[in-house]
């Protein structure tokens, strides 16, 4: 038998997707393309992170990939308290206008907060849904870099404005705008496939963006929980006696009292601004046919690097460099301190780079427009099967990412002393800092899983095999999660609450860590041709965005209804578990159909 890459066979691909590069019924294709067979033999050699090609471009893409977790995930630890503060202010203003007062219980207000926060969370992916496919088509015709750069700029502005918003309408608007700007996430996946073209490196490369996403989630959750309400969470810095309380306000830094959730948003905007600069000056175009076009941003980035090197290496007295017309216009003559007026400092560059610059000046590069593939040809049976699997995962995963922090923030119910196996309510009543640290700590575990466990499992049982394991874990986690509210809050057995919380978070993160890269790899391999890879990923991101919008909105509504009826587990058992089981059922049924098609194909070839 061949290598482990050969053993993947039908198990390593999506139901209905084209055979992977080592499947049994791909032998005829290998005989027609001997180079492909050679690539398959190389897959048996372990690939390390340092073996990946174009590491500089992968680094820039990784930093750009932080845009979505920074914009979308950062508010989860404090969303309950953010929405509650907005709704409480609105209720107070309404009562003042009506000349009366209304009193709501903590659990009643928590139900209202859950419904509104679900809409707020859903606005981001819903906006992504409407623009993901247009972004993908635009990138296929006009290039990848443009959409990424524009998206980062808009996202930075939207994040900063979100932090200063004090009405639900303003919060909804700026979060929707951030979702519109992040509809280009699929293009980053496409660029990864175009930067890393050899199949033996693609598993590692495709693992990189989910790894960065998890890292961004860890940082976002931690900073979001700690920096929200900084006067309370960081009193030594922003409290009455804090180092930053220069005005000596008795309650703390005044502008942070007025805008208690602005610091996470401003930090996000600053990091997105850094990613924007990296993309402008160092990200290269990867659209086939446009890779060699002159990019003023990249030229400026190279010139900036040379200028920095020149400053750092001024002690070198003799060197040489051909003058580049573009750099002359940008910076003028380069003169070293202490040189005569007419003497120009020359910096050494590689001979190959000099040849490229000379060719750029003498021979303008033109690109041939590539015809667009009909959209109908993209949506074949194989691609549709991959898209449905790609969309079912965020339908329940995004709902969990919204509901779980709200559940942890919901006040504990004293009525649970009379709870039954199904009828009980309340949450854990944790603060934003505790929620952020807990979720980020287990996010680190997810990163370690992606680094050391997932590649070995994927090599041993195939991509689809790993995906099936995650499909089993999801419903088990959702089934047990609501019972955390029944565990003792204090006393000698209070450790059970933290132990149970760890088991639930660990199980969900482990399942998510295995599922996300699997679905990305399988969707990529379902594309009919590489020419439409951007459109396929755009369609996948569009469907996933719709699922991420529906999940939190429906989940928040069901959670609120369950709280009113005294059944906090309603959303877990009647929504999350059901969707997870449907996703598993779809995967198994589609796999059975794929095996039948393979059998028919072998019979016809024989």
């Amino acid at each position: 038998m061949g290598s482990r890459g050969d053993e993947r066979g039908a198990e390593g691909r999506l139901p209905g997707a084209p055979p992977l590069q080592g499947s049994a019924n791909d032998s005829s294709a290998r005989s027609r393309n001997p180079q492909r067979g050679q690539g398959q033999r190389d897959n048996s050699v372990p690939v390390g992170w340092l073996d990946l090609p174009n590491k500089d471009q992968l680094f820039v893409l990784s930093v750009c990939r932080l845009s979505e977790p920074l914009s979308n995930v950062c508010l989860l630890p404090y969303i309950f308290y953010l929405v509650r503060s907005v709704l409480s202010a609105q209720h107070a203003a309404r009562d003042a206008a009506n000349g009366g007062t209304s009193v709501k219980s903590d659990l009643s207000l928590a139900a209202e907060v859950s419904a509104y926060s679900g809409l707020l969370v859903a606005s981001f992916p819903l906006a992504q849904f409407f623009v993901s496919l247009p972004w993908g088509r635009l990138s296929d015709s006009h290039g990848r870099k443009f959409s990424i750069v524009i998206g980062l700029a808009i996202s930075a502005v939207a994040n900063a404005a979100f932090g200063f918003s004090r009405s639900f309408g303003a919060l909804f608007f700026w979060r929707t705008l951030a979702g519109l700007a992040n509809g280009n996430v699929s293009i980053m996946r496409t660029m990864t496939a175009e930067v890393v073209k050899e199949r033996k490196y693609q598993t590692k490369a495709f693992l990189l963006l989910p790894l960065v996403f998890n890292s961004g989630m860890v940082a976002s959750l931690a900073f979001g929980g700690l920096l929200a309400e900084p006067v309370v969470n960081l009193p030594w810095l922003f409290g009455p006696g804090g180092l930053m309380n220069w005005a000596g306000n008795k309650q703390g830094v005044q502008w942070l009292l007025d805008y208690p959730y602005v610091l996470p948003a401003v930090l996000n905007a600053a990091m997105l601004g850094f990613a924007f600069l990296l993309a402008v000056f160092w990200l290269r175009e990867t659209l086939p046919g446009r890779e060699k076009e002159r990019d003023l941003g990249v030229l400026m980035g190279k010139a900036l690097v040379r200028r920095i090197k020149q400053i750092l290496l001024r002690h070198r007295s003799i060197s040489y460099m051909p003058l580049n017309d573009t750099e002359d216009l940008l910076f003028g003559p380069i003169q070293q301190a202490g040189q005569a007026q007419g003497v120009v400092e020359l910096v050494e560059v590689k001979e190959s780079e000099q040849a490229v610059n000379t060719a750029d000046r003498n021979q303008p590069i033109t690109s041939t427009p590539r015809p667009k593939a009909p959209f109908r040809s993209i949506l074949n049976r194989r691609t549709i099967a991959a898209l449905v699997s790609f969309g079912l995962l965020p339908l329940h995963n995004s709902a969990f990412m919204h509901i779980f922090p709200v559940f942890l923030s919901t006040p504990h119910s004293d009525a649970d002393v009379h709870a039954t196996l199904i009828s009980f309510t309340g949450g854990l009543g944790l603060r934003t800092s505790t929620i952020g640290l807990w979720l980020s700590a287990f996010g680190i575990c997810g990163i370690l899983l992606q680094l050391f466990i997932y590649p070995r499992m994927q090599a041993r049982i195939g991509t689809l095999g790993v995906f099936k394991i995650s499909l089993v874990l999801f419903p088990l986690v959702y089934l047990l999660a609501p019972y955390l509210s029944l565990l003792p809050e204090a006393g000698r057995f209070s450790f059970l609450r933290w132990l149970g919380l760890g088991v639930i978070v660990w199980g969900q993160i482990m399942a998510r860590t295995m599922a996300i890269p699997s679905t990305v790899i399988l969707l990529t391999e379902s594309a009919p041709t590489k020419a439409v890879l951007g459109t396929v990923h755009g369609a996948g991101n569009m469907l996933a965005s719709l699922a991420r919008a529906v999940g939190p909105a429906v989940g928040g509504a069901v959670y609120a209804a369950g709280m009113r009826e005294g059944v906090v587990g309603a959303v877990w058992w009647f929504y999350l578990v059901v969707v997870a089981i449907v996703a598993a059922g779809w995967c198994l049924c589609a796999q059975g159909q794929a095996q039948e098609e393979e059998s028919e194909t072998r019979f016809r070839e024989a």
Side-chain angles (χ1 to χ4, degrees):
M1 182 172 288
S3 64
R4 291 195 186 276
D6 296 319
E7 292 171 10
R8 285 175 61 184
E11 295 145 0
R13 65 181 179 85
L14 186 72
L20 296 188
Q21 211 175 27
S23 58
N25 60 344
D26 199 30
S27 57
S28 61
R30 279 202 306 270
S31 64
R32 292 190 299 268
N33 190 351
Q35 195 172 23
R36 191 175 163 190
Q38 180 66 36
Q40 178 62 24
R41 288 191 296 272
D42 291 342
N43 283 344
S44 60
V45 180
V47 175
W49 292 105
L50 296 179
D51 298 328
L52 293 176
N54 298 314
K55 287 183 280 292
D56 59 334
Q57 294 299 292
L58 290 175
F59 171 76
V60 176
L61 283 174
S62 299
V63 176
C64 294
R65 184 64 180 92
L66 291 173
S67 175
E68 188 179 18
L70 289 175
S71 302
N72 191 27
V73 180
C74 182
L75 82 165
L76 293 179
Y78 63 85
I79 187 172
F80 178 88
Y81 298 98
L82 170 64
V83 176
R84 188 176 69 175
S85 67
V86 171
L87 294 181
S88 298
Q90 292 179 353
H91 292 163
R94 188 186 309 120
D95 293 341
N98 296 333
T101 58
S102 60
V103 179
K104 285 196 171 188
S105 66
D106 288 341
L107 294 181
S108 176
L109 183 60
E112 186 178 7
V113 168
S114 174
Y116 275 90
S117 63
L119 295 176
L120 189 61
V121 171
S123 63
F124 185 95
L126 185 62
Q128 284 183 311
F129 165 74
F130 285 110
V131 298
S132 290
L133 191 56
W135 274 122
R137 296 293 282 181
L138 183 66
S139 75
D140 283 339
S141 58
H142 293 82
R144 319 294 192 200
K145 181 174 178 177
F146 172 78
S147 61
I148 292 178
V149 168
I150 297 299
L152 288 171
I154 298 175
S155 185
V157 174
N159 273 269
F162 182 88
F164 288 97
S165 301
R166 293 301 297 149
S167 68
F168 188 80
L171 292 172
F172 190 87
F173 171 79
W174 290 114
R175 184 163 172 81
T176 301
L177 183 62
L180 294 173
N182 280 272
N184 56 9
V185 172
S186 62
I187 301 173
M188 300 178 195
R189 301 191 186 110
T190 303
M191 290 190 74
T192 302
E194 292 170 341
V195 166
V196 181
K197 297 180 180 180
E198 293 186 61
R199 290 183 61 90
K200 65 179 181 179
Y201 298 120
Q202 284 188 347
T203 297
K204 209 80 170 180
F206 279 126
L207 191 62
L208 184 62
L209 291 187
L211 180 64
V212 172
F213 181 86
N214 264 356
S215 303
M217 285 186 61
V218 169
S220 297
L221 292 171
F223 286 120
L226 289 174
L227 297 180
E229 300 179 329
V231 176
V232 176
N233 292 328
L234 299 172
W236 60 273
L237 194 58
F238 303 106
L243 299 177
M244 302 298 293
N245 188 15
W246 299 323
N249 193 317
K250 294 182 179 180
Q251 295 180 327
V253 179
Q254 185 60 47
W255 70 281
L256 292 177
L257 291 171
D258 297 333
Y259 302 100
Y261 305 102
V262 70
L263 284 188
V266 170
L267 179 63
N268 289 347
M271 296 181 69
L272 290 171
F274 174 70
F276 168 80
L277 294 177
L278 280 181
V280 169
F281 294 119
W282 283 280
L283 187 63
R284 296 194 298 266
E285 182 58 64
T286 62
L287 179 66
R290 296 201 173 193
E291 304 99 323
K292 301 298 183 180
E293 287 187 356
R294 182 183 297 271
D295 189 324
L296 181 60
V298 173
L299 290 175
M300 293 175 64
K302 291 180 178 179
L304 179 62
V305 171
R306 291 186 190 127
R307 174 56 65 92
I308 294 174
K309 288 181 178 179
Q310 172 204 349
I311 295 174
L312 296 177
L313 302 176
R314 279 192 173 183
H315 64 279
R316 297 179 61 182
S317 58
I318 301 176
S319 55
Y320 62 91
M321 175 184 125
L323 294 179
N324 185 285
D325 296 340
T326 304
E327 294 163 24
D328 292 346
L329 293 174
L330 291 173
F331 298 102
I334 304 174
Q335 183 173 337
Q336 192 176 26
Q339 281 184 325
Q341 177 66 27
V343 180
V344 178
E345 181 191 11
L346 301 173
V347 181
E348 182 176 358
V349 294
K350 295 182 180 178
E351 181 179 349
S352 60
E353 186 174 344
Q354 178 179 356
V356 171
N357 290 337
T358 304
D360 286 345
R361 290 195 300 269
N362 297 334
Q363 298 179 0
I365 298 174
T366 58
S367 61
T368 303
R370 301 171 64 251
K372 292 184 180 180
F375 187 72
R376 183 177 300 177
S377 67
I378 299 173
L379 292 181
N380 53 45
R381 182 175 180 179
R382 293 171 175 176
T383 308
I384 290 175
L387 289 171
V388 173
S389 295
F390 193 77
L392 284 174
L393 172 61
L395 189 61
H396 59 83
N397 183 61
S398 63
F400 174 88
M401 292 301 296
H402 160 241
I403 292 169
F404 195 61
V406 172
F407 173 67
L408 298 180
S409 305
T410 301
H412 187 72
S413 176
D414 295 331
D416 283 348
V417 294
H418 305 294
T420 65
L421 189 63
I422 296 178
S423 179
F424 57 92
T425 189
L428 275 66
L430 303 180
R431 294 297 305 172
T432 60
S433 56
T434 305
I435 295 172
L437 289 176
W438 262 91
L439 296 182
S440 61
F442 282 94
I444 295 175
C445 297
I447 294 175
L448 297 177
L449 284 170
Q450 277 191 324
L451 282 173
F452 302 110
I453 304 299
Y454 176 83
R456 290 173 172 81
M457 294 182 64
Q458 194 268 348
R460 181 175 296 274
I461 63 177
T463 305
L464 190 59
V466 176
F467 190 36
K468 288 179 179 179
I469 294 177
S470 68
L471 294 177
V472 174
L473 287 176
F474 279 124
L476 290 176
V477 169
Y478 300 151
L479 184 68
L480 299 175
Y483 292 102
L484 291 175
S485 64
L486 295 180
L487 298 178
E489 187 177 10
R492 58 183 299 187
F493 295 107
S494 60
F495 72 93
L496 293 176
R497 164 181 281 204
W498 303 108
L499 179 62
L501 178 61
V503 170
I504 296 300
V505 177
W506 171 265
Q508 210 279 340
I509 287 180
M510 184 174 182
R512 184 179 69 216
T513 299
M514 293 188 294
I516 290 177
S518 299
T519 56
V520 173
I521 293 172
L522 296 173
L523 180 64
T524 300
E525 294 182 347
S526 73
T529 64
K530 291 185 177 181
V532 296
L533 191 58
T535 302
V536 170
H537 274 288
N541 194 53
M542 182 179 179
L543 185 61
S545 298
L546 178 62
R548 288 196 299 268
V550 172
V554 175
V558 177
Y559 184 87
M563 290 290 294
R564 296 189 190 99
E565 298 298 327
V567 184
V568 72
V571 67
W572 302 96
W573 304 324
F574 306 132
Y575 176 69
L576 293 176
V577 170
V578 171
V579 174
I581 292 177
V582 169
W586 165 265
C587 180
L588 295 176
C589 292
Q591 172 66 9
Q593 294 179 359
Q595 290 176 348
E596 292 179 3
E597 291 180 359
E598 290 174 2
S599 299
E600 294 177 0
T601 302
R602 294 194 194 99
F603 179 77
R604 287 195 297 266
E605 290 180 351

